[in-house]
């Protein structure tokens, strides 16, 4: 276990050093990510500015959902952000063998070496928006914070699971740079209050691909709106992560070392 | 006449080759068949909820709004472009030299490539999504005026290309124009009207959009499709709107040519 912790620490250090080597690129990328996050809730702002709303949700409550979604994406992206592109690149070039030859779990190695420092901007942008919107929703109890923490971690597990599944897909769908769009489109549901969607979509977004846990349910916990039944949705989140790991490891076994 | 025929043959050959080249990756295009309808479905429920009991928002009723998002999605498939990325790559690697030596202007070559690429997009993205929108979502996707919509989409196609090509030209100074490209994509995504109709923006920002290229790429063709164009207090008939779009494309072409001539003086034919 200590070996894995040491390797991960070393990889994080290397990622930071690499970012320092290309400082301007790092600053510009982080800045654009940060601005992108500030502009992300623009649609919501404009909708509320037009004098309308998502029924039953105030502007700050919707912003809270979107900020939690962004923070969760930032955290997941920090750890799993480079997984898809690196896997895709190795599979396309037929160089995945190099990873298989390392004296480490290949999944761990690829996750550790793709630690994505640029995603700090994504997380910080979300955190800033989170603080801003949380300040406008009134007092939050300690129990609500506890529920939020559990659901936030579950939501991040969903994103990690999605990253793993998309990366696993690249073993068979070789060189398709649009795989990530599949995940992005599904995640779009998680950026808005789930009750605006039909029951079938709500059920799918809670139990099958639990994207509702990425923003909506943790925000509901802070707002004191969760029902006892909502906590059941935490389980499919971790099942989803486990499924992602399983699928990725299974696809490694199917890997054929042919470049193209 | 011979020169015209010669140019037509080049255009056809480049478009055909690009079509065949990308046909090998047609499943890439098929991703849109899942992604497009999912995005559209989310927009559908968002706006259905937002309208609630209201009849109009931003000058559009719910049906027009749904048609607007359907149109922006479909037009997006017809005009999609990455000429900036391509040009940037050619400059960075020094491969632009080979185009400099060819008896065809690189900008024309890139435009014909886009034509071939989008023909594939028409078959594998536009048509399947159009059928999904009509038969699964039950959206009326008949344009208010087919001829004006076609002209407007064609102009949006050109506008998108010239804007992207100009962004790509910055590589002659910067070598790596990834940062500018990302920034442009960000701004364009918001101000083209693909996320939300521009009528929702503050008045001063709507007026600003009249002088920027973004609205001519998505908002204007989508509004021409719905049959009603207004922005920043300016209300235009369809021929007037398309005329304004044509003028904007000409201005953009002029800007592109101006930047291109300066860029050629920077070219060193050395890869990085």
């Amino acid at each position: 276990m200590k070996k894995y912790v040491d390797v991960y620490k070393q990889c994080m250090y290397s990622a930071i050093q690499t970012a320092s080597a290309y400082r301007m690129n790092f600053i510009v990328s982080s800045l654009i990510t940060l601005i992108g996050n500030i502009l992300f809730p623009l649609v919501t702002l404009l909708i509320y500015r037009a004098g309308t709303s998502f029924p039953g949700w105030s502007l700050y409550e919707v912003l809270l959902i979107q900020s939690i979604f962004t923070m969760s994406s930032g955290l997941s992206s920090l750890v799993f952000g480079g997984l898809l592109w690196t896997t895709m690149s190795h599979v396309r070039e037929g160089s995945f063998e190099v990873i298989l030859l390392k004296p480490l779990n290949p999944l761990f190695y690829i996750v550790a070496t793709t630690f994505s420092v640029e995603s700090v901007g994504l997380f910080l942008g979300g955190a800033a928006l989170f603080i801003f919107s949380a300040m406008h929703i009134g007092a939050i109890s300690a129990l609500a914070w506890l529920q939020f923490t559990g659901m936030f971690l579950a939501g991040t597990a969903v994103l990690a699971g999605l990253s793993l599944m998309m990366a696993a897909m690249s073993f068979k769908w070789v060189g398709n740079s649009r795989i990530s769009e599949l995940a992005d489109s599904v995640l779009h549901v998680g950026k808005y209050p789930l009750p605006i969607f039909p029951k079938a979509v709500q059920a799918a977004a809670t139990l099958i691909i639990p994207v509702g846990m990425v923003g909506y349910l943790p925000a509901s916990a802070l707002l004191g709106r969760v029902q006892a039944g909502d906590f059941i949705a935490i389980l499919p989140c971790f099942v989803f992560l486990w499924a992602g790991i399983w699928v990725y490891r299974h696809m490694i076994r199917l890997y054929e070392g042919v470049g193209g | 006449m011979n020169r015209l025929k010669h140019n037509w043959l080049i255009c056809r050959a480049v478009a055909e080759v690009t079509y065949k080249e990308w046909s090998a990756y047609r499943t890439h295009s098929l991703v849109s068949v899942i992604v497009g309808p999912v995005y559209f479905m989310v927009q559908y429920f968002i706006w259905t909820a937002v309208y609630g009991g209201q009849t109009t928002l931003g000058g559009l009723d719910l049906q027009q709004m749904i048609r607007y998002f359907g149109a922006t999605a479909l037009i997006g498939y017809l005009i999609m472009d990455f000429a900036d990325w391509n040009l940037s790559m050619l400059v960075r690697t020094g491969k632009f030299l080979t185009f400099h030596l060819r008896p065809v202007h690189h900008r024309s070559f890139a435009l014909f490539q886009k034509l071939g690429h989008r023909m594939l997009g028409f078959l594998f993205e536009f048509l399947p999504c159009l059928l999904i929108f009509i038969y699964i979502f039950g959206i009326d996707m008949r344009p208010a005026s087919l001829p004006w919509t076609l002209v407007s989409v064609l102009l949006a196609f050109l506008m998108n290309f010239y804007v992207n090509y100009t962004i790509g030209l910055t590589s002659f100074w910067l070598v790596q124009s990834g940062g500018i490209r990302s920034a442009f994509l960000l701004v364009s995504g918001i101000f083209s009207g693909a996320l939300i109709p521009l009528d929702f923006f503050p008045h001063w920002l709507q007026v600003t959009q009249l002088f920027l290229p973004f609205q001519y790429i998505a908002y204007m063709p989508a509004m021409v499709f719905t049959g009603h164009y207004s922005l920043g207090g300016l209300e235009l008939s369809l021929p007037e709107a398309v005329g304004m779009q044509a003028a904007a494309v000409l201005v953009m072409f002029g800007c592109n040519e101006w930047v291109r001539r300066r860029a050629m003086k920077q070219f060193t034919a050395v890869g990085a």
Side-chain angles (χ1 to χ4, degrees), chain A residues 32 35-36 39 42-43 46-47 49-55 173 175-176 178 181 184-185 188-189 192 196-198, chain B residues 27-29 31-32 34-35 38-39 41-42 45-47 49-50 54 57 125 179 182-183 186 190 195-196 200-202:
Chain A
I32 289 168
I35 296 168
L39 294 174
L42 188 74
V43 173
L46 292 173
I47 285 172
R49 189 181 159 273
T52 185
S53 64
F54 291 105
W173 208 350
N176 191 335
R178 298 190 64 194
E181 288 180 37
D184 290 342
S185 65
H188 206 43
V189 174
Y192 296 93
I196 69 167
F197 296 102
Chain B
T27 55
H28 290 213
S29 302
V31 169
S32 297
I34 300 168
V35 172
V38 171
Y39 271 117
M41 185 198 75
V42 175
F45 290 122
I46 287 174
W47 290 98
V50 164
Q54 308 206 45
L57 275 176
E125 295 175 282
S182 307
L186 186 68
I190 295 158
L195 290 176
I196 188 166
F200 282 81
F201 284 77

Side-chain angles (χ1 to χ4, degrees), chain A residues 36-213:
Chain A
N37 279 297
I38 293 167
L39 294 174
F40 159 56
L42 188 74
V43 173
T44 306
L45 284 172
L46 292 173
I47 285 172
Y48 278 80
R49 189 181 159 273
T52 185
S53 64
F54 291 105
W57 290 81
S58 74
L59 171 64
Y60 295 109
E61 288 169 347
V62 180
L63 288 182
L64 189 72
I65 295 176
Q66 297 181 341
S67 65
I68 294 169
F69 184 94
T70 311
M71 280 200 302
S72 211
S73 303
L75 201 59
S76 165
S77 188
L78 202 67
V79 184
F80 297 95
L83 185 66
L84 170 62
W85 301 110
T86 308
T87 306
M88 192 183 287
S89 161
H90 278 303
V91 172
R92 195 179 61 237
E93 288 165 21
S95 57
F96 202 82
E97 289 89 333
V98 179
I99 292 169
L100 296 176
L101 291 171
K102 306 267 182 201
L104 274 172
N105 179 318
L107 177 55
F108 169 79
Y109 176 81
I110 211 160
V111 167
T113 50
T114 55
F115 181 79
S116 172
V117 192
E118 295 84 16
S119 302
V120 170
L122 189 63
F123 181 78
L124 292 180
L129 187 63
F130 175 74
I131 293 167
F132 173 74
S133 42
M135 280 164 64
H136 288 85
I137 57 164
I140 302 167
S141 68
L143 180 65
W145 278 113
L146 194 68
Q147 291 170 343
F148 162 75
T149 309
M151 289 182 161
F152 179 76
L153 290 175
T156 308
V158 173
L159 292 175
L162 263 177
S163 295
L164 285 159
M165 285 185 190
M166 294 297 114
M169 211 182 270
S170 72
F171 277 97
K172 281 292 161 195
W173 208 350
V174 180
N176 191 335
S177 56
R178 298 190 64 194
I179 289 177
S180 63
E181 288 180 37
L182 292 170
D184 290 342
S185 65
V186 174
L187 282 171
H188 206 43
V189 174
K191 295 175 184 174
Y192 296 93
L194 270 192
I196 69 167
F197 296 102
K199 295 278 180 215
V201 177
Q202 288 184 43
T206 314
L207 300 170
I208 301 170
I209 308 177
V211 290
M213 192 58 87

Side-chain angles (χ1 to χ4, degrees), chain B residues 67-182:
Chain B
R67 272 164 54 79
Y68 172 85
F69 280 109
T72 51
L74 294 177
I75 291 167
Y77 298 136
L78 295 176
I79 67 168
M80 195 277 269
D81 182 52
F82 47 86
D84 50 346
W85 182 88
N86 242 340
L87 184 56
S88 177
M89 180 270 290
L90 291 175
V91 174
R92 198 172 59 250
T93 56
K95 287 179 185 169
F96 186 77
L97 179 67
T98 62
F99 286 94
H100 218 44
L101 298 171
R102 291 182 196 187
V104 58
H105 199 299
H106 179 260
R107 189 175 52 204
S108 308
F109 183 85
L111 183 62
F112 302 152
Q113 270 191 318
K114 176 178 156 112
L115 204 65
H117 189 247
R118 284 305 84 205
M119 271 160 31
L120 194 73
F122 177 80
L123 289 179
F124 290 94
E125 295 175 282
F126 177 86
L127 282 182
C129 288
L130 176 68
L131 295 176
I132 290 171
F133 287 176
I134 294 172
Y135 293 108
I136 295 181
F137 291 106
I139 312 296
D140 179 6
M141 290 309 295
R142 282 171 299 184
S145 161
L146 184 63
W148 287 119
T149 304
L150 288 177
V151 177
S152 186
V153 171
L154 179 70
L155 289 168
F157 179 92
L158 292 172
M159 179 60 107
N160 198 25
F161 172 75
Y162 289 129
V163 169
N164 281 341
Y165 197 83
T166 310
I167 299 287
L169 285 171
T170 60
S171 300
F172 285 94
W173 287 274
L174 304 172
V175 181
Q176 175 61 279
S177 63
I180 292 209
R181 188 168 184 256
S182 307

Side-chain angles (χ1 to χ4, degrees), chain A residues 18-39:
Chain A
T18 308
S20 319
Y22 300 99
R23 281 182 293 280
M24 190 45 79
N25 185 47
F26 174 71
I27 292 166
V28 170
S29 303
S30 303
L31 213 62
I32 289 168
T33 313
L34 195 70
I35 296 168
N37 279 297
I38 293 167
L39 294 174

Side-chain angles (χ1 to χ4, degrees), chain B residues 105 107 162 166 169 251-263:
Chain B
H105 199 299
R107 189 175 52 204
Y162 289 129
T166 310
L169 285 171
V251 171
M252 192 62 231
F253 176 77
C255 293
N256 179 269
E257 181 59 18
W258 185 78
V259 178
R260 190 193 67 80
R261 287 181 186 207
R262 267 140 197 84

